[in-house]
Amino acid sequence: MTDVRRRVREHVRANPGVHFNALARNLDIATGQAQYHLHRLGRRDDVVAERIRGRTHYFLPEYDAWERRTLALYRRETDRELVTLLLDEGRLPAATLADRLGLARSTVSWHLDSLSNAGVVETSRGARGRIEVSLARPAATDRLRREVAPSVAGGAAPADGGGYGVADADD
């Protein structure tokens, strides 16, 4: 395995769910070079690619489909804020989520639909018919949050790919 391919695989291991543009940017490698090495890693089943909401995300093969979707969505800023709020506070009305995050209810609704379709959240009618949201698998979601947290915590990744950054947040 070449040094660049090893770096690509290690970056995917350290940043599960990283999307293509962030990987190339964080490793400071050309788009074609990233495509080539990811393709080779995929052919050897060293890396799994999954297209989620318009972006291709990369994982090691040990993640199941639900974990891949959850990790990929958690790397997106608004989805991450919604999931984090639900992890911290439990079941909440959708309107409360919108208010707490300072977002339009339609924006929150769109993100919740995406998270619901991925099996990350569940919605139901609460008191007075309001939509309430909870995590479908809170313990598993929290475990995945801890895996991703260092790579979305802040700061740009160094060119050698050894650090973490938010380059794969909603950019």
Side-chain angles (χ1 to χ4, degrees):
M1 185 180 297
T2 69
D3 181 52
V4 173
R5 194 166 308 139
R6 211 177 338 276
R7 285 179 50 222
V8 169
R9 186 179 187 288
E10 176 56 27
H11 192 72
V12 170
R13 185 201 61 73
N15 300 280
V18 65
H19 70 77
F20 178 81
N21 291 338
L23 182 138
R25 186 173 44 247
N26 290 344
L27 292 177
D28 195 27
I29 59 176
T31 300
Q33 191 177 20
Q35 289 172 331
Y36 173 78
H37 289 291
L38 286 164
H39 177 73
R40 296 291 301 261
L41 288 165
R43 284 184 38 200
R44 293 181 41 182
D45 294 325
D46 287 336
V47 169
V48 174
E50 188 159 335
R51 189 134 176 102
I52 299 168
R53 224 171 68 199
R55 287 190 181 153
T56 303
H57 295 263
Y58 296 91
F59 309 86
L60 295 186
E62 64 225 28
Y63 293 101
D64 67 28
W66 180 84
E67 291 170 322
R68 290 191 303 267
R69 288 188 306 268
T70 302
L71 285 164
L73 292 170
Y74 193 78
R75 288 192 168 280
R76 295 166 186 243
E77 184 178 1
T78 302
D79 294 319
R80 179 174 53 253
E81 290 174 348
L82 287 164
V83 169
T84 299
L85 192 54
L86 290 168
L87 279 167
D88 292 345
E89 303 207 18
R91 180 179 207 83
L92 289 171
T96 300
L97 289 166
D99 292 342
R100 294 253 183 99
L101 297 176
L103 298 170
R105 290 182 183 190
S106 59
T107 299
V108 169
S109 178
W110 186 86
H111 285 277
L112 290 175
D113 283 346
S114 181
L115 289 164
S116 180
N117 290 337
V120 179
V121 302
E122 298 172 331
T123 59
S124 61
R125 295 273 177 197
R128 298 183 308 216
R130 297 187 327 181
I131 299 291
E132 293 193 348
V133 184
S134 61
L135 292 169
R137 298 168 61 182
T141 303
D142 192 40
R143 177 183 53 80
L144 293 173
R145 170 176 65 166
R146 288 190 308 273
E147 286 185 36
V148 174
S151 63
V152 294
D160 68 1
Y164 303 103
V166 293
D168 59 338
D170 285 335
D171 54 13

